[in-house]
Amino acid sequence: MDSATSDRAALQATADNGLKIVVVGGFGVGKTTMVRSVSEIRPLNTEETMTRAGETVDDLDGVQSKTSTTVAFDFGRITLDERSVLYLFGAPGQERFWFLWDRLFSGTLGAVVLVDTRRLADSWYAIDRLEHHGTPFIVACNDFGGPLHTEQQIREALDLSDDVPLVECDARDRSASKYVLITLVEHLYALSKGTAGSSSAAARPETTPEKTPEHTT
């Protein structure tokens, strides 16, 4: 167990309210890393070593250095208070596992669409499925050190409406990943009050980084 996970406070044995959020996006955008960076428990993951056989099926453009991949889902947990917990599910990114997404979306309060701005087109399917299900979502741009884009350029490329929050993050950084989840919760609250649109931003949280080694999946 990594120290970032083992040093966190022990969880309550039971909870009355379980809230579900899904982290979704293209192949290799950092979904597993985000779940791992914020989870209070050692995350359940279904990573398997990538093989040569998979090279003929998966699109590895831009992620040639990946050596493992999620084949089902990632699962993490965050305690909100004595009665409520947040369950995080990270969806697999490869096209051959997209059939799992509709089941993962069931019962979901909202979603984070994690994107790599070097490969924005890989985010289209995630956004399309969430809109199909009517699931509220925000978009988080994971920092891979690629070319900078303005918020307007990203919104135009993804055809995002102004009321969908857009933020930047480093999925390895626990505080940055928490900021993404807080932004989603604030967006869900605004939607429930009919005031969505006021929380849209593209900014980094001013916090001290708490990084874990892994970055992509």
Side-chain angles (χ1 to χ4, degrees), residues 22-27 29 31 91-95 98 101-102 105 110-116 119-140 158 160:
V22 172
V23 182
V24 68
F27 184 35
V29 297
K31 300 179 296 295
Q94 304 99 305
E95 184 175 352
W98 284 353
W101 286 16
D102 289 346
F105 292 162
V112 174
V113 178
L114 195 60
V115 305
D116 177 351
R119 299 178 289 125
L120 284 170
D122 293 355
S123 307
W124 270 102
Y125 185 77
I127 293 173
D128 177 75
R129 296 313 298 166
L130 290 168
E131 290 179 340
H132 172 77
H133 283 273
T135 303
F137 66 92
I138 69 168
V139 173
L158 297 178
L160 292 180

Side-chain angles (χ1 to χ4, degrees), residues 48-63:
E48 296 292 342
T49 301
M50 297 181 66
T51 64
R52 289 187 178 276
E55 293 178 2
T56 63
V57 179
D58 300 322
D59 181 6
L60 301 180
D61 185 31
V63 289

Side-chain angles (χ1 to χ4, degrees), residues 194-212:
T195 58
S198 60
S199 60
S200 176
R204 297 179 185 277
E206 296 181 0
T207 50
T208 302
E210 299 178 38
K211 294 184 179 179
T212 52

